[in-house]
Amino acid sequence: MESLFQHAATTHGVTVRVAVSFMPEQSRVGAGRWFWVYHIRIENDRKDTIQLKTRHWRITDSNGMVNLVNGEGVVGETPRIAPGQAHDYVSGCELQTNAGSMEGFYTFDLADGEKLEVAIPYFPLAAPEEV
């Protein structure tokens, strides 16, 4: 699994793995737009079912511009993840610079009404020099 996902973080028995790729065919470098796609896998190694409720991203470009993104669910879903199961999704990020980074956290609901905050690992966004 580690060979597929370059970045991982485990919090409270939930592992978030990230694979990121620069997408030259979706970027418009001449217009100052660089695009990356990232694949997230959320693995539940807890003994209880969790439900993803919110996402909180900190996206930083190489000029130091920070964009905070907060919202419900991921790609229009608030998945329930049973013990031993995983949820995968793919999304993207566009920057006005050729490099930057993303990191953040998810909030999950537990069956007993408690909230669980789970880290999304830091991962760099970097376009090849010859794009």
Side-chain angles (χ1 to χ4, degrees):
M1 190 64 57
E2 288 77 22
S3 62
L4 298 175
F5 296 92
Q6 304 103 325
H7 313 280
T10 301
T11 313
H12 305 297
V14 180
T15 300
V16 177
R17 299 184 190 279
V18 182
V20 61
S21 299
F22 176 66
M23 304 299 287
E25 64 278 2
Q26 293 182 20
S27 298
R28 296 173 304 155
V29 174
R33 302 286 184 189
W34 288 263
F35 190 80
W36 290 264
V37 65
Y38 54 89
H39 175 174
I40 304 270
R41 168 166 284 175
I42 303 166
E43 301 169 352
N44 182 5
D45 294 321
R46 297 171 55 84
K47 294 182 182 346
D48 52 350
T49 296
I50 58 176
Q51 182 173 16
L52 193 153
K53 296 304 274 187
T54 62
R55 69 186 184 285
H56 307 273
W57 287 103
R58 178 184 176 90
I59 305 167
T60 307
D61 72 16
S62 60
N63 290 331
M65 176 70 97
V66 175
N67 185 19
L68 300 177
V69 177
N70 300 297
E72 186 175 325
V74 290
V75 295
E77 300 179 320
T78 56
R80 288 184 187 277
I81 309 170
Q85 298 297 304
H87 178 77
D88 289 81
Y89 75 93
V90 175
S91 192
C93 177
E94 183 180 81
L95 294 181
Q96 294 181 21
T97 62
N98 67 347
S101 64
M102 294 178 67
E103 62 188 318
F105 65 93
Y106 298 118
T107 301
F108 291 87
D109 280 352
L110 303 178
D112 65 5
E114 291 292 315
K115 301 272 187 214
L116 189 68
E117 191 173 290
V118 172
I120 303 168
Y122 168 94
F123 57 96
L125 305 170
E129 292 295 325
E130 58 280 340
V131 173

